Amino acid sequence: KALNMADDTGWAGPKAFNWEGMLARNYSPASYDRRHMYTMSWVYDLPFGAGQKYNLSGVANMIAGGWRFNGIFSAYSGTPFTVTGSGQSLQCIGCTQTAHQIGPVKKLDGKGPLQPYYDPSAFRDPLFYFNPANPQYIPGSMGINALYGPGFWRLDPGLFKNFKLTEKLNMEFRAEATNLAHNARWGNPSGAAGNMRLNPDGSLNTSVTNPLNGFMTITSADSTRQFRFGLRLSF
C-alpha cells in the first residue's frame, strides 16, 4: 500500500488541498497504488525430439522436435480514484471538493455507458445540501483516492523452435502474443458526483435521458492484442 501527500508526477504541490488547515487531508493512497500484483513466468521445453522423452528422428524431429513454450501471466488490482463534488460548496482556492458518503459502498461491477461500477446512491455532491441563504462551506466527508477501479489480467505466451540447418548455421522460429485472451483493461469510473441529475428529494431524475450523466460509469478501455512472428539466423 502506497500513501503520500503529493504524487510524484513531476509537479511539486499537495494532491488536492492547498490550504494550511486542510493539508492533512492530502495524506491518502497514491494515485498509482495497486494493492495486489501477481506475475508468473515460465519456460518449458516440450518433451519431443532427438534425445527427449519422446524421441524423434528424421522428418518427425524436424517438425515436432525442439519446441519451447514460455510466457508471462500478470494479474493486477485497480488503482484509486476520488469521488469529487462541486467546488462552489467549499470556496477554497487550490482545493478539490470531495463528495459526501451517505450510504454503504456497493460494487455493481458495471462497465460501459449507463452501467455504474459502484452504486451511485451512496454518494452525494455537497452542493446538493448547500443553502445560499445560510451558506456553510464544508469539505465532503470522503477522502482523496478513497475508492478503487477495476483490475485486469493478461497472458503473454510465446512458442519457439530451433532448427539446426548445418553444423554452424542455426535458425530460430518465434511466435509471440501480447494479451492473447484479448482482455479489456478498463479505466476508472468517473467520480464527478456533481454530474448526477437529482430530484429535490435526492432520487435520480429519471425524466431525463441519462440521470447519472456519466457518474460512476466507465467509458474507457484498452484491449490491445498483438501477434509477432519472426525468424532468426545465427552462425
Side-chain angles (χ1 to χ4, degrees), residues 205-224:
N205 183 0
T206 56
S207 65
V208 299
T209 303
N210 182 9
L212 290 178
N213 200 21
F215 177 57
M216 279 301 161
T217 62
I218 301 175
T219 56
S220 63
D222 176 10
S223 60
T224 301

Side-chain angles (χ1 to χ4, degrees), residues 95-130:
C95 297
T96 298
Q97 175 65 301
T98 61
H100 289 313
Q101 183 180 332
I102 60 173
V105 176
K106 182 180 179 182
K107 184 184 288 187
L108 303 179
D109 210 28
K111 298 179 179 72
L114 306 179
Q115 301 179 59
Y117 187 74
Y118 288 103
D119 184 354
S121 66
F123 315 99
R124 187 72 77 244
D125 181 4
L127 190 62
F128 180 78
Y129 306 106
F130 191 77

Side-chain angles (χ1 to χ4, degrees), residues 17 19 21-22 25 85-93 95-98 100 125-141:
F17 302 101
W19 176 52
M22 299 175 68
R25 286 175 63 94
S86 302
Q88 301 96 303
S89 60
L90 187 60
Q91 290 292 300
C92 176
I93 298 174
C95 297
T96 298
Q97 175 65 301
T98 61
H100 289 313
D125 181 4
L127 190 62
F128 180 78
Y129 306 106
F130 191 77
N131 181 5
N134 183 25
Q136 295 184 11
Y137 300 102
I138 59 174
S141 63

Side-chain angles (χ1 to χ4, degrees), residues 1-9 11-19 22-33 80-82 84 94-98 143-146 148:
K1 181 177 179 180
L3 296 164
N4 60 23
M5 295 281 287
D7 286 336
D8 184 11
T9 61
W11 177 262
K15 245 188 298 195
F17 302 101
N18 206 27
W19 176 52
M22 299 175 68
L23 287 177
R25 286 175 63 94
N26 288 299
Y27 190 67
S28 59
S31 297
Y32 48 81
D33 177 46
F81 69 98
T82 301
T84 61
C95 297
T96 298
Q97 175 65 301
T98 61
I144 299 298
N145 287 341
Y148 283 74

Side-chain angles (χ1 to χ4, degrees), residues 6 19-20 27 34-35 42-43 61 71 73 80 84 89 95 115 121 138 142 162 178 184 208 218 221 235:
W19 176 52
E20 183 179 1
Y27 190 67
R34 291 188 188 275
R35 297 292 176 86
W42 69 90
V43 177
N61 182 55
F73 172 80
T84 61
S89 60
C95 297
Q115 301 179 59
S121 66
I138 59 174
M142 297 191 69
N162 290 312
T178 301
V208 299
I218 301 175
F235 52 90

